[in-house]
Amino acid sequence: QVQLVESGGGLVQAGGSLRLACAASLRTFRMYSMGWFRQAPGKAREFVAAVSRYGTTYYADSVKGRFTNSRDNAKNTVYLQMNSLKPEDTAVYYCAVGPKYYSGTADSSTFDYWGQGTQVTVSS
């Protein structure tokens, strides 16, 4: 059974930083892409970032240049470093296991396993 445990969310002022982590209980973690999505109240879930099995990173235009996605296969963990946070970044952030062969799709339906989500709140 695949389990994803997220951590690092919280309350931060605009312009501040947070680092999210997602630890996966997946024996073949290194074989899969990992993605980050977020959902704000009343809005659809949206793609934030992803990293392929090879370490190639992808970002939504809204976070490009501010967020950095990375993975540590030895720890079965993916990280999302979030800098220069804005109030519009406020949402529940989820990590998810994606395809073995990933090239940047933002379609959440291609990600099969999801974490419980962690709340990120950015105050103005």
Side-chain angles (χ1 to χ4, degrees):
Q1 182 177 348
V2 176
Q3 293 183 342
L4 305 177
V5 180
E6 299 166 326
S7 61
L11 175 64
V12 65
Q13 290 185 317
S17 299
L18 286 172
R19 190 192 194 198
L20 306 184
C22 176
S25 61
L26 181 63
R27 290 179 62 86
T28 55
F29 174 84
R30 68 188 185 282
M31 301 294 293
Y32 293 89
S33 63
M34 295 291 294
W36 291 94
F37 294 79
R38 66 188 182 187
Q39 188 165 23
K43 296 183 178 180
R45 182 171 51 190
E46 66 174 349
F47 172 79
V48 176
V51 56
S52 78
R53 63 190 288 187
Y54 306 108
T56 303
T57 54
Y58 305 86
Y59 301 94
D61 288 342
S62 60
V63 306
K64 194 171 298 182
R66 299 188 297 121
F67 291 9
T68 303
N69 196 14
S70 62
R71 67 189 299 156
D72 186 339
N73 289 339
K75 297 180 179 179
N76 275 27
T77 300
V78 62
Y79 302 94
L80 185 67
Q81 178 67 45
M82 305 185 295
N83 298 325
S84 301
L85 283 162
K86 304 174 181 179
E88 50 263 45
D89 294 319
T90 296
V92 177
Y93 284 70
Y94 301 89
C95 65
V97 179
K100 290 182 178 180
Y101 300 97
Y102 179 83
S103 57
T105 180
D107 186 358
S108 63
S109 67
T110 65
F111 291 76
D112 294 325
Y113 301 97
W114 296 78
Q116 81 284 357
T118 185
Q119 177 71 48
V120 171
T121 303
V122 184
S123 62
S124 60

